[in-house]
Each structure stands twice: as structure tokens, then as C-alpha cells.
Amino acid sequence: MLVFNCTKAAVEFFTVTRQGQKVSDLEPAPHKTIAESIETPVFPNGVDTDNNGEFQWQWVLHCVSIKRKRYLMAMDYQSRFCITVLAGKKGDIYQFLNTFEPMLKACFHSLANESGVDTVEVENCVDHYDREVNDCAFYPRSDRSVQAHLNDVHWHLERHCYEDGMLLEDVDLLGFNLFSGQFPRNSKHKKEHFFPNEEFVNQWQQWALKRRFSR
């Protein structure tokens, strides 16, 4: 299950006004912090935990505007890998998901291939994702540490847009996502600095391997 923890800017993007009332598909977060939700996962009503392998993938979702173009930036809470995509219609969660998932897989494919991961293993990992991730949730909740790293990616994005041109095509956004993941990060959950690109691939592999052996 994908969990998108939305910053105030992302909450505003996914909120629309209908007949004078603000409407949003976001649900109240089950815990105050993301760390608490990782420690004690809570699934929304109607979500089949068996089909989701009792797995929650926590992301922090942010929205920024550059030259009148909106971008949605989703950062993985654990690896700090960031996926930036063009924002679609305001309030349209499904359009975001239909843009996010192909980019998520494209990033994994590219990084795994660069890392020398066997092609069969790459496909097994993606197949594992397709089997295990069947639902998603959007909560109005953020994280100060992740937000600091999102701000750094935003700086690089803004610089690229002003100096090298806007990122409007999927192939260009893919390149930017791989570029932004090569900078070292730190987190209180890890003892040493780490690189998001490497963590992202390793995390996906370990998740697929662990689930395979637990069946």
C-alpha cells in the first residue's frame, strides 16, 4: 500500500471548491508522525491487508510552482529518493497516481540496470510491486527532516528550469529524478550518510526478497 503524507502545499493542490465548499479526498492520519505509523501500521477501512502484504510504503508529497507550472514531488521516507512529476488537474488524485507509478518503475529499472542487477531480478521486483501494492492513502501530514531534503530537490529543480529549461517531458523528468538522487543524505534512522539512488534499489530488492521467503 502506498501512503502519501501531504505537506500543506500538497493538501492545497488536492483540495477543490465545489458549490462554495472545500472538498478533498484526504483522510485523517492514523498517527501524528510517520515513524509511529511505521512502528504500528494502521490500514484504512476497506483495505485488504492480506492483498497488501501488510506493507505500507511511506512517501511525503509536496507541491511547488515554477514559471506557472506545478510539480508534485514525492520523497520516499526511508531512502529519501524523490520522484518529481508534472502536476495534472488540481484535485485529481488518480491522474497523479497514473503519472507517479510509471515514473516509479522507470526510475527503479534505470537505477537497477546501472547497478548491475540481473534483468530477471529487476522484473521480479517490479512484478512483486504489482502483486503487493493494490491500494493507497493520502494523509495531511509531513515530516521536518524529509521536508528539508525536499527543499533541496526543489532548489535543484528550480535552478534547472531557470538555467537549462523547463522539465516537461517524462524522459527529462526521469533524468532529473536520477540526478537528484545522487546527493548524500542523512537521517536519524541511519548511522551514516547514504545515497538515495542506492538505498532506493536496495530497499526494493530487500522488500521483494523478504516477502518471497515469507510465503
Side-chain angles (χ1 to χ4, degrees):
M1 174 177 165
L2 299 175
V3 178
F4 295 100
N5 301 279
C6 299
T7 66
K8 288 183 179 179
V11 170
E12 173 60 27
F13 177 79
F14 287 116
T15 301
V16 296
T17 302
R18 294 174 185 158
Q19 298 180 342
Q21 298 291 324
K22 288 189 175 182
V23 180
S24 171
D25 289 328
L26 273 66
E27 308 172 54
H31 300 98
K32 183 177 179 181
T33 67
I34 298 172
E36 289 175 298
S37 287
I38 292 174
E39 184 69 25
T40 312
V42 175
F43 289 83
N45 292 333
V47 172
D48 188 336
T49 56
D50 290 333
N51 282 343
N52 284 274
E54 298 185 357
F55 171 78
Q56 291 186 353
W57 194 344
Q58 299 281 345
W59 297 79
V60 175
L61 185 58
H62 191 43
C63 181
V64 299
S65 181
I66 302 174
K67 292 186 177 183
R68 298 185 179 181
K69 283 287 185 182
R70 285 198 185 102
Y71 292 90
L72 289 168
M73 305 165 61
M75 181 168 280
D76 176 14
Y77 180 80
Q78 297 287 5
S79 72
R80 302 301 164 94
F81 183 77
C82 186
I83 292 180
T84 300
V85 296
L86 268 177
K89 182 181 177 183
K90 191 177 189 300
D92 195 334
I93 280 177
Y94 295 103
Q95 186 173 2
F96 162 69
L97 290 172
N98 288 335
T99 306
F100 172 82
E101 281 200 312
M103 182 63 75
L104 173 72
K105 295 176 183 178
C107 287
F108 177 73
H109 265 284
S110 297
L111 291 172
N113 288 332
E114 286 180 13
S115 301
V117 179
D118 181 77
T119 303
V120 174
E121 178 65 19
V122 173
E123 293 303 325
N124 285 339
C125 286
V126 174
D127 289 343
H128 176 79
Y129 172 90
D130 289 335
R131 287 193 305 270
E132 299 292 328
V133 179
N134 300 294
D135 290 284
C136 65
F138 288 76
Y139 300 135
R141 178 175 62 179
S142 189
D143 179 89
R144 186 176 300 176
S145 174
V146 177
Q147 184 64 60
H149 292 155
L150 277 166
N151 292 343
D152 182 66
V153 176
H154 179 204
W155 183 86
H156 286 288
L157 177 65
E158 201 166 40
R159 183 180 178 185
H160 188 290
C161 288
Y162 278 97
E163 296 182 4
D164 301 314
M166 297 294 289
L167 292 166
L168 304 176
E169 303 296 331
D170 287 345
V171 64
D172 297 324
L173 284 162
L174 172 61
F176 176 77
N177 291 332
L178 304 185
F179 164 79
S180 67
Q182 67 182 343
F183 298 99
R185 304 289 183 199
N186 63 340
S187 166
K188 64 181 179 181
H189 306 294
K190 300 181 186 295
K191 295 181 180 179
E192 301 176 345
H193 282 75
F194 58 92
F195 295 89
N197 284 355
E198 296 176 4
E199 287 291 309
F200 176 65
V201 173
N202 292 337
Q203 178 180 293
W204 198 321
Q205 285 183 284
Q206 290 169 12
W207 165 47
L209 190 65
K210 180 180 178 180
R211 182 62 175 162
R212 198 180 308 161
F213 281 100
S214 66
R215 289 181 181 277

